[in-house]
Structure formats: structure tokens, C-alpha cells
Amino acid sequence: MSILGTRVVRVEDPRLLTVGGTYAADVDDPRLAGAIHATYVRSTVAHAEIGAVDLDEARAMPGVVDVVAGDEVDLPPIAGVTNEAMRRPYLARDRVRFVGEPVAVVLTERPEQGPDAAEAVVVDYAPLPAVVDPCDALADDTVLFPEVGTNLVGAFGTPPTADAGGPDASDVVVRQRIVNQRLAACPLEVRSSAATWDLGRLVLWCSTQNAHGLQHAVAAAYGLDRSEVLVVTPDVGGGFGAKIGGHPEDILLGWLSRRCGRPVRWVETRSENMVGMVHGRAQVHDVTIGGRPDGTIEAYHLSIVQDAGAYPNMAAFLPRLTRTMAAGTYAIPTVTSDARVAVTTTTPVASYRGAGRPEATAAIERAVDLFAAEVGLDPAEVRRRNLVPRFDEPHRTASGATYDCGDFPAALDRALAAAGYDELRAEQRRRRAQGDRLALGIGLSTYVEVTSGPRAGSEFAEVEVRDTAGGDGVEVVVATGSSPHGQGLETAFAMLVADEMGVPLDAVRVVHGDTDQVARGVGTFGSRSLQLGGSAVRGAAAEVVDRARRLAADLLEAAPDDVVLDTAAGRFHVAGTPAVGRTWADLVAAAAAGDAGDGAALRAEHDFSTTQPTYPFGAHVAVVEVDTESGDVRLVRHVACDDAGRVLNPLLAEGQRHGGIAQGAAQALYEQVAFDADGNPLTTNFADYAVVSAAELPSFELVDLQTPTWVNPLGAKGIGESGTIGSTPAVHNAVCDAVAHLGVRHIDMPTTPERVWRAIRAAE
Amino acid sequence: MEITLSVNGEERTSEVEPRRLLVHHLRDDLGLTGTNVGCDTTSCGACTVLLDGESVKSCTVLAVQADGHDVTTIEGLAATAAGDGDGDGSAGAPLHPMQQAFHAEHGLQCGFCTPGMVMAAVSLLDENPHPTEDEVRVGLEGNLCRCTGYHNIVRAVLAAAGEEVTA
């Protein structure tokens, strides 16, 4: 029986559970002996011209090796995404554009000496007006880059017109501004890295989601060849998109190491992380949805203002994903969108779990509920009426995506059945009739999202069978360009190899995140790793089996086509004569002895590549209780039907869904990065930023649905972000639903007690 | 100041600054990097260890306050269950039942919160051997995890308590 599809517990766990992982701060490498410690001096104002920077006092502090300000750094500033002229220096020069932007760096013998020395750096700021709201920024009253002359990073699409079939032409038209608030990724491990020069090469250890992408970026920044940069990814304590690539603080370490002639280590504090690491979401939506009184949706327009923060990073790209997914799960004849991206004097925005797609789903799912309320129909009924029917052939949407395959009505039906939707509505009516203080809210979402990237992509794997030192078995070493940091890919890839090659799971060793040990790679983000990285592993393993079959055929004096691999025994034999065969160990020995003719080892590389993304989908039902006197909201149930195609390991897939649901629900209920009008951050630690805890969440109710994709040999779609995408609108809709009978139409996220209370009072 | 701690069953004497936090003493002076630092505000619990058998956030205890006391970190937890006495968690000591439960129930992903979460869970069951799901959730409120959504952590703790785990 195949191991595929079974609940294999993780091979990663024993180490993490007994001695803990080796995260960047834990790396104990001889090349880092005698390392000094970097502490960044960060801007305390949101927007200012920098006058004199006095480093003298800091230089005299205990343990200080060096202090560097921005004008000394000769690495070229980082070009802005979409708008290259909006360049980010490694350390601010002339002007600071957000609180937390690095202005200088102190290097000390011991880490605890850093903060004291950093305090002694005196920066003369001449304050400029802050601009915190991206819609305000578009007015260009205050411009962050005078040399560019506008805060507009880019504009895409055009607003709709009624004569072009826009929603305004419909009988029923509903409009709403919806703020998809700024979030912090909050991986439990903050950013951390270390750098040195070893035999003329720059070696960088970094907590990143993609070693090879960072290697490219570092090589470009330093004007080096890729071969002159080694990036090593130790264990990574969560990324959620915010650790894609490297931050300026990471990349500058090599320059500091060269300057000081010593290895340099950097570990930030959580307070630095909350202002210095990229944030996510941060879109303002104006939705217009038009249709008929019978619940048929005819047209939808999504207008987006994306807050890029101070320097255009991935945020400039996020609206593209949002626009692509604007139509969601619905067969709406006319779907249009436009987007403008603006810089503001805040922390830069980039990817966070879902990256552009949760925003699309949140907008249309809220719009559909508002439309349902307007026409007086049940939101489940309106969804049923407008969902794209089951499709096995590619489905082209009005917003320009080509969905691979899906069965949205099945997902909705299963989620509603598991939730007991009719009973929930009955209970809601009962409570409303009684005037119950605890109002019940039921929220739905149906979602579809794009994984592996809008144009998909490639991933690399190499599989090699080796002799075990001293043992009589073999070891299969898998080098993958994927870069797992909690997803359990070592287990997943070992399962694929064990199945394909007929070796025990514990004979497989997965190597990743080291640009010397892995020839090339893309990394782990966008829910791409199983479908692309896993397909590459499977392809490489199949090629190794093919090589082994030919070698076995030589040894068995048979034709290769007649030799089969008995995967249960890990042994090759001629079909029909299983008594005589060759084990993997026999073949490794034969290959080593040169019996393979050209001396080829049992090794193969495989790049799996596709231009067709996959589109996981599903339906969530959230149930909340709202205390109508205090505004307090409690998520009491969450039912999730998530279809990610064929599931390799349900244990891992469920874990991804659980974590995604928690983060998504937390966006609806609790989390928001906030700034005051002067651009001062108000959520700079875990005491102020409401990371959700176990006490606020229920256990989740997962419903199975598997529609294998034709896009890759595993039939797998991405699962890393589905939970987040499906849960936010379900929970958000549930809160709005809970108080709808009190006259409340919409409450923006996060639906904090204060906001809910105010909405109820305002509706009275 | 000179302090002596019993760390995972072993006497460790060190010279520390009075302001040294226990977590930095464990990580930087004693090399026990299994205990992690995740925040600045005693919010996340990644640094949770056992001090005389009870969970504490080691970022909020001075090293000098632990002078003369027993400290158990993730590296020494398995040995407390195996009772092999050397406290180093090595030599093929089996997993502590809580570690085993986290493994079986997939209660960890990136692993960063895990050492602290496991120690907090051990302490929780020590105080309340048969908690309800709600008691587990409230009991672990001070330990943040960004990966698992807590679902499988709660299941793991209930399983370690010998409760039947469904869903």
C-alpha cells in the first residue's frame, strides 16, 4: 500500500522537540568566531530631513567597534518595485520616511552593548509632514520622493462606466468602502542574520524563505557573481511571506563585515520587528456590485488603493493578484477593477499569507453579503445562484484568471451541511425573537485563490542514492530548492521518494536552504512548494529509478524494459522472476565500481516547471456570538471545506489549514497595525498588537473535498494560504450578520468590541 | 555575581551581571539555545522554562533570582521523564509524554514556540492533570504560536493528559 495520502507524523519533530531548532541566532559556526554584533539606530520620526548625525559619543561607549551612518554606505540604493526611482538606501541618507527606518548602525563586541551605544547616536531631524493614509497620499500634498514628484507608485485599470456594462446599470446597486487593514506577519522568530567573508566569498546566514532568491539579491547588491555568495538558511521560525528575500538590515551585514574585517551578527528585538519588517494587506477598497432583485449578480467593480508604505516593495505587485482574483467564485458577466499604489510615511508593505488574494476574497465576499441584504435573500442562496458550476476544463473568469478545475457548489454545500446551517439560522431567529443579549452571527465565504504565482513557475530537485557509511543500507539525499520553515516538507518529500523508490522513510534525508548544497531553487512562498517542489522531487526520483533499472538490467543480463522495481521490497528484478534481483545497495555498489559504464552515480536533477497556476477553493462557515451590550465578539465555531486537490499527507494539510484559519480569523476580529496622524506606530510589540492566542479560538471543524488538478503529476494545489483566505470574510460576515437585525450594515475589520459597540449605538 | 543553578540536573556555576536575564544566561552563557526569545514584553512565552518544576517566562526572571534553584529546559525535559538522572536529555532518552503528544498530534510546525509551549503544557498538567479543552486554552494563553492555530497543540495537551481526542 502506498504511503501517499496517509497521516505520516513529521520527521522534523524529534529534533525540534528535544533540543530545539537551530535558528539564525543559534548558529554556532567556526566561521562566525569572534563575531561582532550589529544594532541598528532607527528613525524616531515618520518623515524628516536628516541634518547632522553625531556618532562621536556612540563611538566612545563600552564595547563599540564601529559606528556607521548612511552617507558612508556605498552599496547602491535598492530600486523600488514598479517605480525604480523610489529607491531605498540601506541606511537613510538625507531623509527618513518611516519610524523604524535604519539611520545608522553600531557594532559592538557583545550584543547587550548595542542598545546602549545606539542610544548615544544623535540624529538631527528637521520634521516634515507625515502622510499615513494612502488615499490622502494620492493628493500629493506631501511628497515622499521630491525627485519623483508624486506619491503614486503606479496605476492599473480604469473605473467602470454604466454604458460598458458596469454595476451602475443594474436595478440594484450596492456600494461600500471596505478597509482591508494593515497587518504584521509576526513570525515567532524575529529577523536574524549573520555574515562573514570566507575565502573571498560572502557567507550570509539568514532567516529567509528563499536562500537562492536572497543569493541573487545579495550578489546584485554587491556586484558579485552568484558563485561568490553563499546563503545558508538555518531553521526559520515562521515567515508568512514577510521573510521572502532579505531586508536591507540583512543584506548590509556583508558590507559591515568587510568594513570591520570581522564576522557580524544581527538579531532584532520584537519592537524593531514590528516597525522594521514588512507589513501586509493595507488596501482600501471601494466595491460596487449590481444585480437583479432575484439575487442574480450582473456586474462588480473593485477599486483598490494599496498602501505601499515608505518604499515600494512587493506591495506594488499585490493589487495585480487582487485584481486577477476579483471575480472570486462567481459567474458574474462583467467584472472590472482598478488600482492605485501610493507611498506613505509608514513601514513598507509586502507579502503576508495570501498576498493580494485574501484582499480580493474579502472584498467580493463582503460585497455579496451586502447585496444579499439589499435584495433580502439569504447569503447562501445568493451564493448558490451565482457560483460558477462545477468545471473540469479550464474556466476563464471575467477578471482574467484561468481556473484549472473546481467544484464551488460542492464546497459550499458540504460546509453548510457540516455547520448545520438551517439549524443555526433557526437558533439565530430564536435569539432575535427573545431579544437575547448574546446575538448569534453566521458568516459565509466561498473562495478561490491562485497558488504557485500568477504565472506559476519552476522548482528544482536533485535526488541521489548513496551508500550509508558503515551500514548495509542506502541513504537517499534529496536537495530541494524549496525552503521549508514549518510546512513539514522534509516529511512530504521523504514520502514522495519512499513511494517512488521503495526505500524506507527514514532512509531519506532532505537538504534545503544552502546555496552550495542545492544547485538552484526558488523557495517557499505562494503555496508553491508541494505542487512545484514536490513534483520536482518526484521527477528526480523517477529519473533515478530509471537509471537504476538500466543498471539492474545490465547486472541481470536483461532488457531494461523487462526490469521492474518492487517498491515494497526496494528491489529490482526481471518481471515474472522475483527470486533473482538487485537491491538499491547492490546498485549503489555496482555504480561505485564503475559497472554502470560511464560511471554515473545514481543521481538525477529535475526542474519541474509550469505556466499554469492552480486554484484551490473552498467554503467557510463562521459562527460568532456578539455581546450586544459590550460589543465583545467570540468566534464559537469555524467550519472549513478547503479543496487543495489531492492531499499527500492529511496531517500536514490540516495543520496548514488550522494555522491559516487562526490568522485569517484574527484579521477579522483583532489584528491591526496602527499609526497616529504623525506617523508614530501604535502597535510596536505583542502587548499592543493583538496576536491571537489559544484562549480566543475554538477548535476548527474541517470538511474534506479533493478535486485533483491536472496541472502537476501530484494532482496537488497549494494549501498554505487557503485557510487565511477563506476564514477572514467568513468571520467578518458573521460579525456583521450578528448585529444586522439591529440595523447595522457594515463594520470594518478588525471588529473590535469598541467598533461593534459604536456600530450598534449608531444604528439605534 | 556568582550564581549556581541546577540546570537539567547539573550544577552550573557562573559569574553574571546582576541585570542578566535568565533566558540570556541559559542561551548565551550555558549554550542551551533550545529556549527562544520571541518578544520584549513577556507576551509570547517562547522562553518558558521550569523553575523548581513550575513554568516561568525566563525573560522575566533575573539569572540571580534563579541562584540555588532547579531549572529545566527543553533539552532536559525527556530526561525528567526517563529518570536517567543525568538531565542532559541525551543518550537515547525517550521523549517526555508531552513531547511525544506534540509529535503524534502535529502540535508544532516551525518549532520556534515549541520549547516554551511544551514546558508551559507540562506545568499546566502538573497543576491540573485532567483539564477541559477550555482550561487548556486559557492555561496556554500566555504562549503564542503563529503556525498551528493552536488546534493541534490543544489536542496534544489533552492527549498527554490521557483524554480522548476527537475532531
Side-chain angles (χ1 to χ4, degrees):
Chain A
M1 197 190 105
S2 171
I3 194 174
L4 305 187
T6 65
R7 305 175 73 86
V8 174
V9 293
R10 297 203 317 172
V11 300
E12 291 91 338
D13 290 351
R15 182 175 59 88
L16 296 172
L17 280 164
T18 53
V19 293
T22 302
Y23 303 96
D26 306 333
V27 169
D28 183 17
D29 188 287
R31 289 169 290 185
L32 290 173
I36 51 178
H37 300 267
T39 304
Y40 286 94
V41 179
R42 296 179 182 277
S43 176
T44 54
V45 294
H47 197 197
E49 284 182 355
I50 301 176
V53 180
D54 186 350
L55 308 178
D56 290 345
E57 194 185 329
R59 286 187 196 285
M61 294 291 287
V64 172
V65 177
D66 202 354
V67 187
V68 181
D71 56 0
E72 295 183 75
V73 177
D74 57 7
L75 295 179
I78 303 159
V81 174
T82 302
N83 194 325
E84 291 197 6
M86 295 180 177
R87 291 175 175 269
R88 177 170 182 181
Y90 288 86
L91 299 174
R93 319 170 58 153
D94 309 327
R95 187 183 281 238
V96 289
R97 296 182 175 85
F98 67 96
V99 172
E101 180 170 9
V103 176
V105 56
V106 300
L107 297 146
T108 56
E109 293 288 350
R110 296 208 310 269
E112 65 269 23
Q113 293 162 332
D116 293 340
E119 282 284 313
V121 172
V122 181
V123 183
D124 188 11
Y125 295 109
L128 295 164
V131 52
V132 173
D133 183 302
C135 301
D136 293 345
L138 288 170
D140 282 337
D141 293 334
T142 297
V143 174
L144 273 71
F145 296 87
E147 63 276 24
V148 178
T150 175
N151 294 323
L152 184 69
V153 178
F156 314 92
T158 50
T161 56
D163 16 325
D168 288 335
S170 292
D171 290 344
V172 181
V173 182
V174 181
R175 292 184 178 78
Q176 181 67 45
R177 169 159 288 201
I178 301 169
V179 177
N180 202 293
Q181 81 272 26
R182 178 186 286 244
L183 301 178
C186 301
L188 256 286
E189 184 207 16
V190 294
R191 293 176 298 169
S192 178
S193 45
T196 191
W197 294 81
D198 180 56
L199 306 172
R201 286 206 306 171
L202 170 53
V203 186
L204 178 63
W205 290 260
C206 184
S207 183
T208 178
Q209 297 176 224
N210 53 337
H212 294 87
L214 181 57
Q215 181 195 34
H216 279 282
V218 171
Y222 285 77
L224 295 171
D225 187 81
R226 203 165 75 84
S227 64
E228 295 172 295
V229 178
L230 166 59
V231 174
V232 180
T233 306
D235 286 318
V236 173
F240 311 110
K243 288 182 183 169
I244 297 173
H247 283 77
E249 292 99 320
D250 299 303
I251 295 173
L252 186 62
L253 295 190
W255 187 90
L256 296 169
S257 173
R258 187 163 61 192
R259 174 180 164 109
C260 295
R262 291 174 67 176
V264 178
R265 304 189 78 132
W266 174 59
V267 185
E268 69 176 344
T269 63
R270 177 60 60 183
S271 307
E272 290 180 275
N273 177 269
M274 294 301 285
V275 297
M277 187 170 75
V278 290
H279 293 154
R281 309 279 190 269
Q283 291 186 359
V284 178
H285 295 154
D286 286 297
V287 296
T288 313
I289 187 165
R292 297 200 295 263
D294 69 356
T296 306
I297 302 170
E298 295 172 322
Y300 173 69
H301 181 80
L302 172 63
S303 187
I304 304 163
V305 176
Q306 170 77 58
D307 182 353
Y311 298 94
N313 195 309
M314 271 294 291
F317 181 73
L318 297 180
R320 179 180 157 190
L321 287 161
T322 311
R323 296 181 66 218
T324 300
M325 298 312 299
T329 51
Y330 305 103
I332 304 174
T334 304
V335 177
T336 51
S337 64
D338 68 279
R340 287 169 293 168
V341 182
V343 285
T344 59
T345 56
T346 62
T347 302
V349 172
S351 302
Y352 169 57
R353 203 166 194 170
R357 295 105 76 200
E359 296 89 328
T361 307
I364 194 157
E365 289 305 298
R366 191 73 205 106
V368 166
D369 262 32
L370 287 162
F371 177 75
E374 189 72 22
V375 297
L377 291 172
D378 187 289
E381 179 54 31
V382 171
R383 282 179 173 78
R384 278 206 188 93
R385 203 164 287 192
N386 292 283
L387 286 177
V388 176
R390 179 193 165 95
F391 57 100
D392 301 309
E393 298 295 317
H395 170 81
R396 180 90 180 162
T397 72
S399 52
T402 303
Y403 299 165
D404 52 341
C405 55
D407 192 349
F408 307 153
L412 178 61
D413 287 345
R414 288 193 188 200
L416 291 175
Y421 187 66
D422 293 340
E423 293 80 5
L424 287 168
R425 285 290 176 204
E427 167 68 7
Q428 182 181 54
R429 282 192 296 274
R430 194 185 61 75
R431 289 200 197 187
R432 285 180 177 177
Q434 289 176 351
D436 203 321
R437 170 179 165 167
L438 281 183
L440 196 70
I442 305 144
L444 310 183
S445 79
T446 50
Y447 73 88
V448 56
E449 62 125 341
V450 52
T451 62
S452 77
R455 289 184 190 152
S458 69
E459 193 52 278
F460 166 80
E462 177 186 330
V463 171
E464 179 173 11
V465 189
R466 294 182 192 167
D467 205 358
T468 47
D472 55 1
V474 293
E475 177 184 51
V476 182
V477 181
V478 178
T480 170
S482 295
S483 194
H485 42 281
Q487 294 83 356
L489 295 177
E490 292 179 33
T491 304
F493 292 174
M495 288 171 71
L496 291 170
V497 168
D499 178 72
E500 192 75 29
M501 300 178 65
V503 297
L505 202 62
D506 59 10
V508 184
R509 183 161 62 88
V510 178
V511 176
H512 59 83
D514 182 313
T515 59
D516 271 0
Q517 294 191 52
V518 183
R520 55 189 172 275
V522 179
T524 291
F525 48 84
S527 301
R528 72 197 311 279
S529 291
L530 179 60
Q531 55 186 316
L532 299 180
S535 295
V537 167
R538 183 183 152 123
E543 285 170 39
V544 170
V545 170
D546 199 46
R547 281 168 170 269
R549 182 184 291 113
R550 281 183 269 130
L551 179 55
D554 277 355
L555 299 173
L556 296 167
E557 297 178 347
D561 288 348
D562 295 337
V563 173
V564 294
L565 168 61
D566 174 357
T567 52
R571 197 160 162 278
F572 291 85
H573 62 81
V574 176
T577 55
V580 183
R582 292 290 184 275
T583 64
W584 280 106
D586 296 337
L587 296 175
V588 169
D595 295 350
D598 59 0
L602 292 175
R603 192 184 74 79
E605 295 185 352
H606 190 92
D607 291 278
F608 181 80
S609 184
T610 176
T611 55
Q612 170 66 45
T614 57
Y615 292 84
F617 63 91
H620 286 205
V621 180
V623 183
V624 300
E625 281 184 336
V626 175
D627 184 328
T628 51
E629 289 183 17
S630 70
D632 188 45
V633 181
R634 185 152 185 93
L635 178 63
V636 293
R637 286 180 67 196
H638 196 92
V639 179
C641 178
D642 301 300
D643 189 322
R646 186 173 293 123
V647 173
L648 172 67
N649 181 335
L651 196 71
L652 301 179
E654 288 165 10
Q656 289 296 306
R657 293 164 69 187
H658 293 149
I661 291 168
Q663 286 183 5
Q667 172 171 15
L669 298 175
Y670 305 116
E671 294 186 21
Q672 175 171 36
V673 173
F675 298 89
D676 71 12
D678 295 324
N680 296 305
L682 304 175
T683 44
T684 61
N685 54 52
F686 281 175
D688 295 331
Y689 187 84
V691 176
V692 70
S693 86
E696 286 94 38
L697 294 168
S699 286
F700 307 126
E701 302 165 51
L702 303 188
V703 181
D704 191 43
L705 185 64
Q706 298 191 28
T707 308
T709 181
W710 45 267
V711 174
N712 60 67
L714 303 178
K717 309 174 188 182
I719 190 60
E721 295 156 296
S722 295
T724 321
I725 291 166
S727 62
T728 301
V731 176
H732 187 199
N733 280 336
V735 176
C736 296
D737 177 67
V739 292
H741 65 297
L742 303 175
V744 176
R745 185 171 170 276
H746 177 80
I747 305 169
D748 257 329
M749 302 185 292
T751 53
T752 58
E754 182 186 341
R755 284 187 177 180
V756 173
W757 185 88
R758 284 183 188 282
I760 294 170
R761 295 290 92 83
E764 273 174 1
Chain B
M1 292 178 67
E2 188 182 275
I3 59 169
T4 300
L5 280 57
S6 171
V7 181
N8 298 331
E10 192 183 336
E11 297 278 306
R12 306 289 295 262
T13 300
S14 320
E15 193 65 32
V16 298
E17 275 191 67
R19 69 172 182 174
R20 192 76 159 161
L21 298 173
L22 178 58
V23 67
H24 291 138
H25 180 55
L26 293 170
R27 286 179 52 85
D28 301 339
D29 301 335
L30 304 183
L32 294 168
T33 55
T35 303
N36 293 318
V37 178
C39 73
D40 315 332
T41 48
T42 319
S43 305
C44 80
C47 65
T48 305
V49 300
L50 301 183
L51 185 64
D52 297 332
E54 200 170 328
S55 66
V56 294
K57 292 182 176 179
S58 63
C59 71
T60 314
V61 176
L62 294 167
V64 294
Q65 289 177 290
D67 186 20
H69 294 272
D70 291 339
V71 175
T72 306
T73 69
I74 194 72
E75 291 93 339
L77 181 64
T80 65
D84 72 347
D86 73 351
D88 66 356
S90 65
L95 297 175
H96 182 280
M98 188 63 73
Q99 292 168 319
Q100 181 58 44
F102 269 67
H103 181 45
E105 300 297 333
H106 188 28
L108 66 155
Q109 291 183 26
C110 83
F112 197 84
C113 78
T114 307
M117 193 69 80
V118 168
M119 301 314 266
V122 167
S123 187
L124 172 66
L125 290 198
D126 198 42
E127 287 172 32
N128 181 359
H130 298 288
T132 64
E133 178 182 336
D134 279 350
E135 287 170 341
V136 172
R137 289 185 173 275
V138 171
L140 295 178
E141 189 175 10
N143 288 74
L144 299 178
C145 168
R146 198 60 165 167
C147 296
T148 64
Y150 306 99
H151 183 104
N152 284 342
I153 290 176
V154 173
R155 288 163 50 99
V157 178
L158 291 173
E163 322 259 324
E164 194 171 327
V165 176
T166 54

